[in-house]
Amino acid sequence: MSRYLRPVALPRLVPTPRADPPYDDERTDATADDPAGPPATFGALALAPEPDPLVLDPPAPLPEPRRLRALGQAVAEVLAGIRPAASVADRFTDRAHAELVRAGTMLRTRLPPKAGLPHVHRPHDGAVEMCVLVNCGDRNHVLALRLERRGVQWLCTEFETA
């Protein structure tokens, strides 16, 4: 019995793209209507455009969902009596933090509470309202927080639980 060898496909050679982007005068995406085009790049590093100095307060980006969930988890632990209220003081306004301390233990649970994914609503620029379902073992609770932008930081100004 003779064995026939199958032909082996050789690798394909394809041209490689240029490593550096074109210079500004070589760009084809800029037109007479839009001389700026997309932001220019230098070498392989794309630089973000500089902010407009005339815009004093651009709309604030929303806080990240994982940070909102972590804040909801921390507040739930405070309301369950597992965490001290002082641990979230830097995320609350003075009035809201005083209300949190005065509220004391509001969530009765045998297991540590677990916050779910936040549902986020933005009523206007500089304000975020969120609600989180908190699993407390036998019973679920809802935690609502209102965050407002104060300078460069988002602070909780109101909270409610049911």
Side-chain angles (χ1 to χ4, degrees):
M1 181 176 193
S2 70
R3 288 191 165 175
Y4 295 100
L5 298 176
R6 284 192 217 167
V8 176
L10 296 175
R12 235 174 19 127
L13 297 177
V14 294
T16 59
R18 291 178 49 182
D20 290 331
Y23 291 102
D24 285 343
D25 60 345
E26 297 174 343
R27 291 178 35 196
T28 59
D29 53 3
T31 63
D33 296 335
D34 183 20
T41 58
F42 299 98
L45 175 64
L47 300 176
E50 297 214 9
D52 186 357
L54 299 177
V55 178
L56 298 177
D57 188 19
L62 286 173
E64 296 176 23
R66 67 179 179 84
R67 289 183 179 245
L68 290 175
R69 183 178 187 179
L71 178 62
Q73 176 70 34
V75 173
E77 290 173 359
V78 169
L79 293 173
I82 297 172
R83 177 190 289 252
S87 65
V88 293
D90 61 336
R91 299 289 175 219
F92 278 69
T93 60
D94 292 337
R95 186 182 61 76
H97 184 259
E99 288 179 17
L100 184 66
V101 171
R102 189 174 30 252
T105 303
M106 294 180 72
L107 303 179
R108 307 278 182 221
T109 178
R110 288 182 285 124
L111 301 172
K114 292 186 182 177
L117 294 174
H119 297 272
V120 181
H121 173 68
R122 188 173 193 173
H124 58 81
D125 284 344
V128 172
E129 294 174 348
M130 72 171 212
C131 65
V132 177
L133 182 66
V134 180
N135 184 342
C136 295
D138 297 338
R139 184 170 179 206
N140 290 332
H141 294 271
V142 177
L143 178 64
L145 300 171
R146 179 179 173 92
L147 302 160
E148 293 180 3
R149 185 170 179 231
R150 304 284 170 97
V152 296
Q153 190 174 11
W154 289 92
L155 296 177
C156 181
T157 58
E158 299 284 335
F159 74 94
E160 284 185 23
T161 188

